[in-house]
């Protein structure tokens, strides 16, 4: 299935739902996915649309369960006005019931989600973040900033702001 297909199918499937339930997923749930969670929530709040959205994030790993987002990510996000207060948790099978769209940050997160998805319908809910990113064709995933410097965190936020804005408009067509 090509990239635009999965994105378009997700939008078509969810356009009619009065509540959009979206889960962002990365490895640790302390850098990329809690940032995506905060960026998406801010977009929705700014449009007075928070009653129509359920937004959460989780990690495929459990190393950081209960932790706040990485301090570096909180600092970079705060400079752009995002207050990241999520507590890390691991993805669970019930997430495939509780959310309509499950958005991995990279191909490894995607593979892990597809492995635990209980049904083909659950698998169809998994659509990579990169499918909404059009600021540059250089990025087919949201790169893990954990071992990077400040630029890595800024890049993640640039990509997420671009992708989350596109996602918001897709689901409100
Ligand atoms: P994230 O980044 O997946 O964007 O939250 C990472 C955080 C922690 C680790 C790896 C990636 N870790 O190996 O602990």
């Amino acid at each position: 299935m090509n990239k635009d297909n999965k994105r378009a199918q997700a939008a078509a499937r969810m356009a009619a739902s009065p509540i959009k339930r979206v889960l962002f997923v990365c490895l640790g749930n302390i850098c990329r996915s809690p940032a995506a969670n905060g960026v998406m929530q801010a977009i929705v709040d700014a449009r007075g649309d928070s009653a129509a959205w359920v937004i959460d994030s989780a990690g495929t790993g459990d190393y950081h369960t209960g932790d706040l987002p990485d301090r570096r990510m909180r600092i970079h996000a705060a400079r752009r006005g995002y207050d990241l207060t999520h507590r890390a948790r691991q993805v669970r099978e019930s997430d495939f019931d509780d959310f309509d769209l499950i958005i991995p940050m990279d191909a490894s997160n995607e593979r892990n989600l597809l492995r635990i998805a209980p049904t083909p319908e659950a698998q169809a809910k998994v659509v990579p973040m990169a499918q909404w990113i059009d600021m540059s064709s250089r990025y087919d995933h949201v790169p893990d900033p954990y071992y990077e410097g400040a630029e890595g965190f800024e890049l993640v936020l640039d990509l997420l702001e671009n992708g989350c804005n596109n996602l918001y408009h897709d689901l409100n067509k």
Side-chain angles (χ1 to χ4, degrees):
M1 191 179 291
N2 77 28
K3 166 170 166 160
D4 291 334
N5 251 345
K6 262 201 138 181
R7 172 177 167 176
Q9 284 179 3
R13 191 161 40 76
M14 289 175 68
S17 347
I19 307 284
K20 327 283 184 195
R21 305 178 302 165
V22 177
L23 180 71
F24 295 100
V25 174
C26 61
L27 172 59
N29 193 213
I30 55 166
C31 295
R32 293 165 293 174
S33 63
N37 193 341
V39 168
M40 195 74 222
Q41 191 67 56
I43 290 168
V44 163
D45 289 350
R47 286 163 175 79
D49 211 8
S50 49
W53 288 72
V54 175
I55 303 163
D56 196 5
S57 64
T60 58
D62 67 353
Y63 333 102
H64 295 283
T65 296
D67 292 353
L68 278 171
D70 184 284
R71 188 166 173 276
R72 297 163 295 170
M73 184 50 91
R74 277 188 283 139
I75 289 170
H76 285 276
R79 285 193 197 135
R80 299 188 189 205
Y82 308 113
D83 182 21
L84 304 185
T85 57
H86 177 78
R87 292 286 176 171
R89 72 168 178 89
Q90 191 172 25
V91 165
R92 44 188 178 246
E93 197 176 309
S94 59
D95 286 325
F96 289 93
D97 294 324
D98 295 339
F99 295 92
D100 308 302
L101 189 54
I102 300 184
I103 304 183
M105 296 294 133
D106 64 31
S108 164
N109 311 148
E110 182 184 15
R111 275 193 305 277
N112 286 320
L113 284 169
L114 293 175
R115 196 161 38 226
I116 61 169
T119 63
E121 292 73 27
Q123 288 200 331
K125 294 181 175 187
V126 178
V127 185
M129 189 71 216
Q131 302 211 358
W132 284 278
I133 292 170
D134 58 8
M135 62 179 251
S136 161
S137 56
R138 285 173 55 197
Y139 298 103
D140 63 357
H141 67 290
V142 179
D144 185 349
Y146 196 67
Y147 297 105
E148 305 294 328
E151 317 75 44
F153 289 87
E154 288 296 316
L155 172 63
V156 166
L157 289 165
D158 288 344
L159 293 169
L160 293 176
E161 286 178 340
N162 172 239
C164 286
N165 271 300
N166 286 333
L167 174 61
Y168 181 83
H169 290 296
D170 253 22
L171 299 192
N172 278 285
K173 274 180 186 156

